[in-house]
Amino acid sequence: MDLGDERRNKRAIRLVERLSAQPMASVPQACGDWADTMAAYRFFGNEEVDWRAILGAHTDCAKTRMAGHEVVLCIQDTTELDFNGQEASGLGPLSYEAQRGMYAHPTYAVSTSREPLGVLDAWMWAREPKNKDGSRPGIKESVRWVEGYERLAEMAAELSGTRLVYLADREADIMELMRRACALGTPVDWLLRSQHNRTMSSGDKLWISVLQSEPLGEIRFVMASRKGQRAREVVQQVWAQMLELPDGKGHFVQASCIVAKEMQPAAGDKPVEWRLLTNLPVQSLEQAARMIDWYRARWEIEMFFHVLKNGCRIEALQLGSIEKIERALVLYMVVAWRIARLMRLGRSCPDLDAQLMFEPDEWKAAYILNKQKLPSKPPTLNEVVRLVARLGGFLARTGDGEPGVKTIWLGMQRILDFAAGIRFSRELQAQGTCV
């Protein structure tokens, strides 16, 4: 990290450590004492600290992780941050004009097995109030989708051995993005959820044209439980067709359109139907299933936002200005990524050595706090993650499956506090001090 001063670099690292230890705490609680708290507020208020430089150090590490994968999904989405009732300059209206807050639009990289690899980019802004005629001044917000693609295109040149896939939901279904990708030679593939049932040159509608073709077959997968929804098996019929989409400029963009439709959902279940657009050829059920599996990985950024807003409680920050919030937000993005990565690796790579993700004092603390005997050799990652989650309320019963991010971030607070105590005790013993 290079923030122009070695003291700033050390302060940023120390802040990440403190915020990681207590992601749900306020800044004063996380910092622990008055001196560190004031140093944190000075850091957030330092106009010479560019949040891009803070995030850049993390992104460089993320690119190293990405280089080890054949395909990386680069997920983009926007989240609304509500600071209503707080006195902070630079904030603007949200979905409702009376609300005050800002927006964050990160690019979140995950592997095809859904391992979080890092935050690659972020677009942060506040809206300006509407004019009397209902129009909103300022830059067109759809630009963020196109700029996000352009930045990934620059990154693709540095990762020649890794295929990057730009992945986004309905809001990114804009012809400007597809045209820009074509103009750049499509250095990054794109996969979008279709929002617009466009009129084709034949006069037919896009989705109807695809459904008129022969179905490729059926796919099956288990949709994980979510708030208000139980986990269940989904069986979808799949259609796909390569089409030329009118670009509104007298030309066409070639794209594959996939329609995946649940035909016979169980009673009371809403049918799951997705319509996807991609620049990649989709001519077989295997290719279509791969695109659908990649799109399903988009849920990882929703989990990232969940950790950021509910685990790190960023909407409770009281920093006085949007510039200070931005500096704090990128630090919390790194914290949220770490928590999400810990959960996913504990599930997908359970036999990894726990010491790849935990310091010895940390994994030992997990055993001690659970009143279990320390193992004779370093444990696996899954063993430690489950112990951490038990401290956060995970029951670890036979039918409970694997822990989620909430129990992990709650448990990590206890682990890191206890590990800090172990280190402090060791230092006192080395000094010959009794406690």
Side-chain angles (χ1 to χ4, degrees), residues 177-189:
L177 169 62
M178 301 178 204
R179 284 199 304 264
R180 185 57 180 153
C182 289
L184 293 173
T186 319
V188 176
D189 296 314

Side-chain angles (χ1 to χ4, degrees), residues 74-79 104-107 121 123 125 140-152 166-178 180-181 190-193 195 298 301 305:
C74 304
I75 312 170
Q76 293 204 1
D77 203 1
T78 305
T79 191
H105 180 92
T107 302
D121 188 18
W123 227 69
W125 78 100
K140 189 167 66 171
E141 292 182 5
S142 61
V143 168
R144 69 190 186 276
W145 300 102
V146 181
E147 281 196 2
Y149 184 91
E150 291 172 341
R151 291 174 185 174
L152 285 176
Y166 177 104
L167 179 59
D169 215 357
R170 294 183 183 93
E171 198 177 349
D173 179 14
I174 52 176
M175 190 51 64
E176 185 181 0
L177 169 62
M178 301 178 204
R180 185 57 180 153
W190 46 268
L191 175 62
L192 316 172
R193 188 165 182 180
Q195 175 175 300
R298 201 199 70 82
I301 199 168
F305 288 151

Side-chain angles (χ1 to χ4, degrees), residues 5 34 144 156 160 201 238 297 300 342 416:
D5 188 298
W34 180 248
R144 69 190 186 276
S160 57
S201 56
V238 180
E300 296 303 311
L342 193 60
L416 293 170

Side-chain angles (χ1 to χ4, degrees), residues 27-71:
V27 172
Q29 288 173 325
C31 289
D33 60 44
W34 180 248
D36 272 354
T37 299
M38 292 308 296
Y41 284 130
R42 284 197 300 271
F43 180 86
F44 294 142
N46 191 333
E47 295 180 357
E48 296 183 17
V49 175
D50 188 341
W51 65 261
R52 295 167 187 82
I54 301 172
L55 185 60
H58 167 75
T59 300
D60 288 342
C61 294
K63 288 189 285 189
T64 301
R65 288 185 285 269
M66 292 164 65
H69 294 269
E70 185 177 341
V71 177

Side-chain angles (χ1 to χ4, degrees), residues 357-379:
M357 295 292 288
F358 291 93
E359 295 291 335
D361 287 340
E362 293 172 351
W363 68 256
K364 289 176 183 177
Y367 279 87
I368 295 169
L369 289 172
N370 278 285
K371 300 180 181 179
Q372 293 193 15
K373 183 179 178 181
L374 292 176
S376 57
K377 60 180 181 179

